[in-house]
Amino acid sequence: KPVVGIAALKLVDQGKLDLDKDVSDYLGFPLRNPNFPDDKITMRHLLAHASSLKDASQADISSYPRPDPPQQLEKDVRTWLLPEGAEFANAAYWDASAKPGAKYAYANVGSTVAGLVVEKAAGQLFNEFCNQHLFAPMGLVSTRWFFRELPDPAKVAMPYDDTFQPY
């Protein structure tokens, strides 16, 4: 999550992202809490965990594909957060009690949306943006979002699931 924030701020520095602009303008589709359809969601809301998004269940974490997810960020966001999405499930990812900006509520899904906003504002895949604009300039040659991108996967610590089984 800190890297998502740093990537966003890098785009602010480049003049490609405004933290207070409606993220729908970057995404290319309307992203609204269905309980507060007139209230915009901004990158500032997403980064501060005040977007009115919430994680729908613990299953979101335990079912996350490892080591690398096959899906793209946009597909996930559309599936979970848009009314026509297959997993919209009565707006399970939306807080019905607070409009965007009204309260802090930690939500992993908000970081996913923030990553997609970075991707859209940058005009390149999120992982590629981070590789090019964050990791490479800092000399982090063995830091990547995806296992498949690592130069020497044998040097990576074994990741384990929540039952302590290696992936």
Side-chain angles (χ1 to χ4, degrees):
K1 292 171 186 77
V3 175
V4 175
I6 293 168
L9 295 178
K10 182 73 169 175
L11 287 169
V12 169
D13 284 348
Q14 294 175 354
K16 295 179 180 179
L17 181 65
D18 179 337
L19 295 178
D20 297 309
K21 185 175 179 179
D22 188 337
V23 295
S24 299
D25 295 341
Y26 296 103
L27 296 173
F29 55 87
L31 185 69
R32 290 286 188 271
N33 181 328
N35 305 290
F36 304 96
D38 296 328
D39 293 290
K40 72 179 181 179
I41 297 169
T42 68
M43 191 63 147
R44 188 179 305 276
H45 293 147
L46 292 168
L47 295 175
H49 293 278
S51 63
S52 76
L53 284 165
K54 63 180 185 172
D55 292 327
S57 74
Q58 220 15 57
D60 297 337
I61 297 167
S62 62
S63 66
Y64 189 79
R66 292 173 175 89
D68 290 337
Q71 70 276 21
Q72 295 295 317
L73 290 175
E74 185 166 351
K75 182 179 179 207
D76 283 343
V77 169
R78 287 177 175 271
T79 297
W80 300 329
L81 304 179
L82 300 184
E84 63 273 15
E87 295 181 38
F88 184 72
N90 299 318
Y93 288 91
W94 294 105
D95 186 342
S97 69
K99 67 181 184 175
K103 77 173 188 180
Y104 169 86
Y106 187 86
N108 289 303
V109 70
S111 293
T112 301
V113 176
L116 180 57
V117 172
V118 166
E119 194 169 277
K120 295 292 188 167
Q124 67 185 123
L125 293 175
F126 178 76
N127 61 303
E128 292 173 2
F129 178 82
C130 290
N131 292 346
Q132 181 181 352
H133 296 277
L134 303 180
F135 305 148
M138 290 189 282
L140 302 173
V141 296
S142 295
T143 301
R144 296 290 182 264
W145 278 104
F146 296 117
F147 188 79
R148 66 181 176 264
E149 296 178 329
L150 293 170
D152 188 357
K155 292 184 176 180
V156 176
M158 173 60 70
Y160 291 85
D161 67 17
D162 56 358
T163 64
F164 301 105
Q165 297 301 311
Y167 287 110

